[in-house]
Amino acid sequence: MILLIPLGVVLAALLAIVGLAIGYGGEDVVYILIKSLSLLTILSVVVLSLTWVERKALARIQQRMGPMRVGPYGLLQPIADGLKLLIKEDIMPAWVDRPVYWLAPLAVFIPSFAVWIAVPFTSSLVLTDMSLGLLYVLALSGMSLIGLLMAGWGSANKYGIIGGLRSAAQLISYEIPLLVIAITIAMLAGTLNLTEIAMGQGNTWYILLQPLALVIFLLAGLAEVGRSPFDIFQAESELVGGPFIEYSGAHWSIFFLAEYINTFLVAALVTIFFLGGWSGPLLPELAWFLIKCYSVILVIFWLRGTLPRLRIDQLMAFGWQGLVPLSFLNFLMVAFALFYGWPNWVQTVLSLTTLVAASTFIYMKTASKKVRPTVRLIPAREVRRA
Amino acid sequence: MTEAQRLESVDIMVNMGPQHPSTHGVFRMVLWVDGERIVEAEPHIGYLHRGSEKLCEGELYPQIITLFDRMDYIGNYNMELAICSTVEKVMGITVPERAEYIRVILCELNRISSHMLFYGTMGLDAGAMTPIMYGFRERERIQNLFEATSGARMMHNYFRIGGLREDPPDDFAERVAGILPALEKGIEEGDKLLTYNEVFLARARNVGIINGQDALDYGLTGPSLRASGIPDDIRVIEPYSVYDRFDFDIPLGNTGDTWDRYAMRVEEMRQSIRIIKQALEQMPDDGPTKATGVRSIPRPPAGEVYFRSETPRGEMGVYIVTDGGDKPYRLKVRAPSFANLQALRTMLRGVYVADAVMILGSLDIVLGEVDR
Amino acid sequence: MLSTLKGMLMTLQTSLRKPVTAQYPKQHLPLMERQVGFPALTWDAKVGEPYCVGCMVCVRMCPTQCMSGTMIDNPLHAEGKSTRRKIIEEFEINLGRCILCGLCVEVCNFDAIEMSHEHEISHYARDGRRSDLPVLLEMGKKYQAESNWIAPEVKKAAIAAAKAAATAPVGEETKAVSASAGDVTETKDAPANDTTAGAETKEPPVEEAK
């Protein structure tokens, strides 16, 4: 009962703000409100569908079926999951730092959602067509870092603190390749407006020009989201959740949503930057956008199902010693290509060669036939004789 | 003042408690962590202690076999073989040929299924969630065979003192031969997925190194010892049952790190398949499966015997003191996982927290036999 | 990254295979013939009483001591309808404690207890799934029907017939066969001879095998 009072105050304040806005702003404000609400709804539906797609994709990789009970082919499973999380008891340990603990999910969730007002779904479907869209998106997506730190600290749990610090280190490190690649794409496109970047690709998608950039951006994006193989800070098998360890029920569902929203954001950015956005024959633009996004997401799930996770120091080494130099190298290549006006195929060749060289280098250092560890086999009769 | 004195820091105690997804059972590890490096580790066991050895003193010999099934609950046939062979040694019974071969085939199949579970859990510790599903898919075939033979998928209670409880089904040899190609394929798939994967190599190489002499001093046995380069396999050094009639290889590692311990078990699976194939060829087609003259509740003469065998975890020793009655006077089990855990502390100093999980996984302990 | 790519290719191949899941409880995987379920008591339909005479060998053998029973004088024997002098009156197995080891079946001299195929007997109960005689007999009857259970007297008659056919000289084989056939029908009508001598008839075959 006592919670109704602050809830009532908050609702009244919201209504007052909305009323004032409509009163002073007029119809535009109503449109913005409607568009924002529909964006929220679409994103929630997308996130719910992502949970279903993930479970089904991982299940098929493991040669099993995934959810099949709740609804036909388990399609209502996300709703069941969401309901379960909402009605679950929020267990909060007694010694948490309350303001920090309560605000942490919001600090992670709000930037993840606020980013989407600048991301275009089709050439006309964007909430706000910002001319500095790219800057806005990347700036906000880096802000969820503070939320993770707050979650880790506020949990008053050693696992949480360790996880929070790990996540801070990881997210900061992988911002750099992400940003440098974004700058590279902006250079190629000549604009920071996301719609124009997507449409400016025409028929030569940037994946053809910059395969190396795609790989770096995808890996850096995965590390930003905290997905396998970079999910050490929420490793289920070690730190049982990392900064999210003391959150349950509705609180945890916010983190869960934020993770999937970020995954979808990474997929959407890859689509816009490299795969030509919504261009494609026959089908409507939105359909192509979604198809491309979901293909990238399937690749992300595929990576999750196949690879073990990297340890934190290996992750940092991979970031700083691998992705950062490569992204700067890529930047230089593109800068040279644009400055001297080289044709497109030069870019492709340079990019591909660097990608193949880097992959081969890693392979030669770790797993090639010469360096891989071997197992000696001694016949039993020799040991018997001895 | 030195730099260290000015920056006074405290080691954090991280408790990987009895309830943890990665400690392979109820096992508690208290880690003292300086940043990300482990400074000191303290294992606590005893959460699964059921008093098996004391229970054995009050149970008849066929009932003891059910207890042994449940000690190492993953390598059941190997435990049954250990206790049956011990009592047979005390009584001086010769087990008929056909029974010996069937025992060996079942034990080796159990070794394969145990190592497949190890392979899956190792993947899980590293963070890969697919190898365990592949491993369990192959294990299903083996467990279906076990169900057809003994009636139960896990706690078989099939070996008896003097042989087997009953004849295996008529199509036993065909069934075993039928699942071998699928098992080989499963091992190959597992290799492709995990063994030489760059990320797994980065996680497992040069992690938790223990050299041969230290391993011997700690009493490490089994694949963990062979990973450090010591060719110590009880099936070869002190052959029991019919193991001296088979031609197989012993895998040996070079460095004694986690990857070596993992690779030992993968290679052992292949060698087990070799043994099974040879056993199927050499097995007599018919014959008794139970030694004659053995009562259903045997009464061994007074004596003391220590018998050791090679279970998937290492050297399993059973020491029995009999007094002529139908229950043993004292039965002591030398569990391989218990001894292997002694080496954990040395291996854990100076590694990362994430490596602690990998090292513990690579030792392949089963808490049922650690705590008994 | 070659190994990673190989691994990814393999997971892709696996994702295109048919899943191995059997959706329980809509789909049940086939059980093996020897699959052990919970123990059940068998029913002698000829006489109309359980095979169990209450000798308690199984109770003594059980590692978890999950069984208990009471033996009484058989009322049917007093009426002359049965050859079992004693019969089981109450029998209880705590199926929650049973470890399904099958030792009770091994030591039973009368084939009175068998491991049925029952394994899906969960229900909400506070009594720890303690099953008394009628429940066990129900399980036993079901097991006898579905598994083509051969009664012990029929088995003994078949062994005796085979022995007689083997030991009789060749010329008198047909006479021996018909005689053994007659023996079989005789023993079917009067199982009494075999069951009363149940304990004794156990010994000669064992000695023979030695």
Side-chain angles (χ1 to χ4, degrees), chain B residues 10 27 36 50 65 74 138 204 244 263 297 310 334 343:
Chain B
V10 172
F27 175 67
E36 278 276 340
R50 298 161 284 184
I65 297 176
I74 302 178
E138 304 306 324
D244 45 359
I297 303 178
E310 177 87 10
R334 188 253 183 219

Side-chain angles (χ1 to χ4, degrees), chain A residues 329-350:
Chain A
L329 190 62
N330 190 35
F331 178 77
L332 280 177
M333 287 192 309
V334 171
F336 270 97
L338 285 178
F339 186 73
Y340 288 115
W342 292 337
N344 281 342
W345 59 267
V346 175
Q347 274 190 50
T348 316
V349 164
L350 280 175

Side-chain angles (χ1 to χ4, degrees), chain A residues 371-376, chain B residues 201 204-215 220 223-230 252-264 347:
Chain A
V371 284
R372 61 170 62 162
T374 49
V375 168
R376 288 180 285 155
Chain B
L201 280 170
R205 289 217 59 199
N206 299 323
V207 161
I209 296 181
I210 188 164
N211 62 27
Q213 191 50 50
D214 279 346
L220 211 60
S224 313
L225 177 65
R226 296 197 276 281
S228 304
I230 313 243
L252 282 183
N254 297 310
T255 24
D257 58 10
T258 304
W259 192 90
D260 276 334
R261 287 191 281 274
Y262 162 86
M264 290 301 104
M347 286 197 244

Side-chain angles (χ1 to χ4, degrees), chain A residues 61-63 158-159 166 237-238 305 308-309 311 313-314 363 366 372-374 376 378-381 384, chain B residues 12-13 15 20 22 36 126 129-130 134 137 196 198-199 202-203 246 248-254 354-355:
Chain A
I61 288 177
Q62 297 166 353
Q63 212 175 342
K158 281 177 208 153
Y159 286 139
R166 277 184 185 175
S237 66
E238 299 156 35
R309 65 174 66 95
R311 208 172 57 204
D313 64 317
Q314 293 162 349
Y363 178 67
T366 48
R372 61 170 62 162
T374 49
R376 288 180 285 155
I378 296 191
R381 60 190 115 82
R384 270 181 215 137
Chain B
I12 305 183
M13 182 197 88
N15 180 33
H20 196 276
S22 273
E36 278 276 340
M129 53 183 71
T130 13
Y134 294 173
R137 186 191 65 203
Y196 293 113
E198 282 102 352
V199 182
R203 283 302 294 273
F246 302 125
F248 57 100
D249 295 338
I250 303 179
L252 282 183
N254 297 310
D355 292 331

